[in-house]
Amino acid sequence: MDASIWSNELIELFIVIGNKRANDFWAGNLQKDEELHMDSPVEKRKNFITQKYKEGRFRKTLLASLTKEELNKALCAAVVKPDVLETMALLFSGADVMCATGDPVYSTPYLLAKKAGQSLQMEFLYHNKFSDFPQHDIHSEGGLSQESSQSTFLCDFLYQAPSAASKLSSEKKLLEETNKKWCVLEGGFLSYYENDKSTTPNGTINISEVICLAVHKEDFYLNTGPIFTFEIYLPSERAFLFGAETSQAQRKWTEAIAKHFVPFVAENLTEADYDLIGQLYYKDCHALDQWRKGWFSMEKSSLRFCLQMQEVQEDRMHLRRLQELTISTVVQNGEKMDILLLVEKGRTLYIHGHTKLDFTVWHTAIEKAAGTDGNALQDQQLSKNDVPIIVNSCIAFVTQYGLGCKYIYQKNGDPLHISELLESFKKDARSFKLRAGKHQLEDVTGVLKNFLSDIDDALLTKELYPYWISALDTQEDKERIKKYGAFIRTLPGVNRATLAAVIEHLYRVQKCSEINHMNAHNLALVFSSCLFQTKGQTSEEVNVIEDLINNYVEIFEVKEDQVKQMDIENSFITKWKDTQVSQAGDLLIEVYVEKKEPDCSIIIRISPVMEAEELTNDILAIKNIIPTKGDIWATFEVIENEELERPLHYTENVLEQVLRWSSLAEPGSAYLVVKRFLTIDTIKHYNERRTLESIKEGVLKIKEEPSKILSGNKFQDRYFVLRDGYLFLYKDSKSSKYDKMFSLASMNLKGEEIVFPQHENDIWPPAGKERKRSITKNPKIGGLPLIPIQHERSATLARRNIEVGQDFICSIESCMRIPHSGRKSSWKK
């Protein structure tokens, strides 16, 4: 026998207890019909052994009437005597091997036995130090009580690193520089001693003060072998690192510590295989007015939390599905505070730590868990629709820049560039952005094809391959489509969502086949091997993918208005390159606030039904701008290289107007800007004046297409007079004869009719009406911080323009285009 394991004391212990005495205890309550026979099958033997030793079902019940406290007291009395059988009976009946003895020096039964010189008792207690046997007929409900958690006792040698006032930057180095310490968890305090003979601890941690416990699943290797570490963080910016020699010992210590500082109402968090657990401050959409305390735990890529303690509610966020994960710094009570923002499927959560140290731990862990971890589809960073972000990004880029590109997806990109892009997405897909000019279209299409080809399982799954192919035997289109739909419903959720996104994209591409020459068959030739992950391609595979593309609307039950919207967007995108379309089908528009400057832009979703009032109010809400009493903010349309500008009426459909930009000579120069427009007093003053005047006159800007009476093709200043239903054009204010006369009845102006005459007094939403907000839950897509808004300058200009008193256009320097097919509009310079 190995003398390093089988010591004299251990051999003597086995002899003293013996098999018969041990069996008298473990099988003391065994009934005749429950006995194990020589010919019993293996499974029955396994169940019997589990019931006998692990569950203790057949133990003697002489001690069943004793409480836990009485068992512990009897154990402390027994270990100082030579009768090991009594100690065994007490321990295996539910006594705590690490119970508190009440002696500050000899605080455990093991130390009491050592004091009494009972070597066999010491040997027995040592080998059962992690044993945990339930009492007879005792069932605990509702988790560990405060009293039982305080009575938890553990002691063992652990590696222990000195406390740190900052981040533990090199745990391995710290561990290599320290020795084992004798650690004792008792009465809610964790004390560590120089050795097991020391009576004075080197330090003590009050577990009730712990704010964070980190458990490291990866072990470190020292000269003595692997160790399994955990960290304890306190609000005093102190951190302690401990290491156990086995993962079981690590788990035993961390479970005991967690049960001491995590309250009863959040005990579900302690039952998971967590990497991190503790308390944080939070704000969420239900209460943004103040910071509250909540309990959080990290389990792989899930953040679990109990926020409303009184309702005992547990919730979770799937970190790989975060739409936003950003850190910001604010000043509160004169001190800088780091705040982490997490957004998942419309839910927003703000968190910050007790200290910079514990916040750093949480931030690092969340950031890591939110990243890509593996090559399976579900291990990728996901969008709110459960589509990998890499897929969404590639689709959006190709939709924006490739719908009109000939033979898109048939052209091959640069392998090196494709590899670099894949690596960037793998590193952090959420932060990585594809940019026109910097990234080539063929490289992006290569990324999408390579990603789908290289994931661990085919998007259509290899398991379903024969079913997809066999569906082609069904000649009736409706029946075949029905089968496809059934197969899709059996796919895992992420596969199903991703397939819908990919097929929708290919459907959109083939709708532009007259331009890009990529019909459904050509696309199927490219994507069949990607979606099935087959090295070659067969006609059957191509036919299945072609079927999915051609019948996308029926298979995925797409509504008619969504198809119409896609057609409008396709037409718009192929004519105007500076546009974007979201995965949800909404147009993404860059809107400015007050002025067209890079720092004043916001990318926002424009749905097909959004009105100007919704857009204005969404922008104000995103930038937290509260209009002062009497001010009116509006959305302005600016075109013709900023030579024409007009406010959209608050009921005007934004998308309809934006789509008209595709007919402009330079649609890329058109944009929307939200700014302070007028004051109520100014409009009232204007309305009063317009009722007293019958003749309007002033300077306007005009450009004819093609130019007949004006030189060049730019806007020119001319003097106009509006009288008796006609608009008279003069060379200047001194001219006595007009150059041209326009009948208002036959005149068509670009866009909507002049704001004031068309809508009369309906210039802004009626007083008392609730502000209309977008039906889109999260209209903002991104954006840059705003610079201070120039309120006074804009207000002065608006007031000055109105007070001039021009009815026909808002300003005396207004401009228009004559003639132009379409509806009437007001434009101002």
Side-chain angles (χ1 to χ4, degrees), residues 424-462:
S424 296
F425 276 115
K426 184 176 181 180
K427 185 178 181 181
D428 189 3
R430 193 176 294 105
S431 301
F432 183 68
K433 305 298 179 186
L434 293 169
R435 302 190 184 282
K438 182 178 180 181
H439 302 117
Q440 301 304 311
L441 185 61
E442 292 79 9
D443 296 335
V444 176
T445 59
V447 168
L448 181 59
K449 291 184 290 185
N450 282 22
F451 173 78
L452 294 173
S453 299
D454 296 339
I455 53 178
D456 283 350
D457 189 14
L459 185 60
L460 296 172
T461 71
K462 295 172 183 176

Side-chain angles (χ1 to χ4, degrees), residues 149-152 185 187-189 207-208 255-262:
S149 68
Q150 292 298 322
S151 66
T152 301
L185 176 62
F189 290 87
I207 300 301
S208 64
E255 281 183 350
I257 292 169
K259 287 180 179 179
H260 274 77
F261 76 92
V262 177

Side-chain angles (χ1 to χ4, degrees), residues 136-358:
H136 291 279
D137 304 319
I138 298 294
H139 300 281
S140 174
E141 298 182 1
L144 200 66
S145 67
Q146 181 73 12
E147 180 181 352
S148 61
S149 68
Q150 292 298 322
S151 66
T152 301
F153 188 95
L154 283 179
C155 67
D156 199 1
F157 281 103
L158 296 176
Y159 289 91
Q160 193 272 319
S163 62
S166 60
K167 184 180 179 181
L168 296 172
S169 57
S170 179
E171 297 163 351
K172 185 173 182 179
K173 182 179 179 181
L174 285 169
L175 288 166
E176 289 175 340
E177 292 178 351
T178 190
N179 296 316
K180 289 184 179 179
K181 298 291 191 298
W182 179 253
C183 298
V184 178
L185 176 62
E186 180 182 15
F189 290 87
L190 175 58
S191 302
Y192 47 96
Y193 300 78
E194 192 63 33
N195 53 57
D196 59 343
K197 297 179 181 179
S198 302
T199 57
T200 304
N202 292 354
T204 300
I205 303 170
N206 186 347
I207 300 301
S208 64
E209 295 179 357
V210 174
I211 54 174
C212 180
L213 173 64
V215 183
H216 300 288
K217 301 300 173 59
E218 297 178 358
D219 52 341
F220 292 119
Y221 283 87
L222 303 182
N223 295 332
T224 56
I227 60 171
F228 302 82
T229 61
F230 58 93
E231 294 175 67
I232 296 173
Y233 294 85
L234 302 179
S236 59
E237 291 274 7
R238 299 182 72 193
F240 298 85
L241 180 67
F242 293 89
E245 292 185 337
T246 66
S247 59
Q248 292 82 3
Q250 177 201 49
R251 186 67 180 170
K252 191 81 173 183
W253 280 91
T254 53
E255 281 183 350
I257 292 169
K259 287 180 179 179
H260 274 77
F261 76 92
V262 177
F264 172 77
V265 289
E267 69 168 349
N268 285 345
L269 301 182
T270 68
E271 296 172 359
D273 187 21
Y274 53 82
D275 303 295
L276 200 58
I277 190 168
Q279 188 186 73
L280 292 168
Y281 291 96
Y282 77 92
K283 286 182 181 180
D284 66 356
C285 56
H286 301 296
L288 291 172
D289 55 331
Q290 61 179 339
W291 290 100
R292 304 170 187 270
K293 290 181 180 180
W295 292 92
F296 294 76
S297 73
M298 282 275 301
E299 181 185 358
K300 296 181 179 179
S301 63
S302 291
L303 179 66
R304 303 173 63 196
F305 43 86
C306 292
L307 300 184
Q308 298 172 332
M309 308 301 286
Q310 68 277 11
E311 298 181 14
V312 198
Q313 291 184 348
E314 181 190 325
D315 207 342
R316 71 173 61 201
M317 273 188 167
H318 297 280
L319 298 177
R320 290 203 188 101
R321 295 174 183 168
L322 292 180
Q323 283 88 65
E324 188 170 352
L325 176 61
T326 54
I327 185 174
S328 59
T329 303
V330 299
V331 178
Q332 185 168 308
N333 299 326
E335 294 185 1
K336 291 184 178 180
M337 180 173 67
D338 292 327
I339 297 174
L340 194 61
L341 167 63
L342 301 91
V343 180
E344 184 215 8
K345 290 191 175 181
R347 175 163 192 174
T348 302
L349 187 67
Y350 299 87
I351 59 175
H352 78 83
H354 292 256
T355 67
K356 290 183 179 180
L357 186 56
D358 76 299

Side-chain angles (χ1 to χ4, degrees), residues 41-53:
V42 174
E43 191 62 31
K44 186 174 181 179
R45 290 174 179 274
K46 181 180 177 181
N47 291 336
F48 178 82
I49 292 171
T50 300
Q51 293 170 355
K52 181 178 179 181
Y53 295 108

Side-chain angles (χ1 to χ4, degrees), residues 488-529:
I488 291 171
R489 285 190 292 273
T490 65
L491 291 172
V494 178
N495 292 60
R496 190 165 57 248
T498 306
L499 179 64
V502 171
I503 299 301
E504 178 192 353
H505 172 62
L506 300 182
Y507 177 80
R508 183 191 289 271
V509 172
Q510 64 87 31
K511 293 278 279 187
C512 301
S513 59
E514 291 184 2
I515 302 173
N516 58 40
H517 303 297
M518 291 300 291
N519 57 27
H521 181 72
N522 290 338
L523 290 169
L525 286 171
V526 174
F527 276 89
S528 61
S529 59

Side-chain angles (χ1 to χ4, degrees), residues 527-544:
F527 276 89
S528 61
S529 59
C530 300
L531 299 180
F532 281 113
Q533 284 192 355
T534 49
K535 293 182 179 180
Q537 60 183 21
T538 66
S539 59
E540 290 84 3
E541 294 168 4
V542 173
N543 289 339
V544 170

Side-chain angles (χ1 to χ4, degrees), residues 758-770:
Q758 178 188 5
H759 299 287
E760 293 297 333
N761 294 324
D762 185 25
I763 308 301
W764 68 95
K769 180 184 177 183
E770 183 179 357

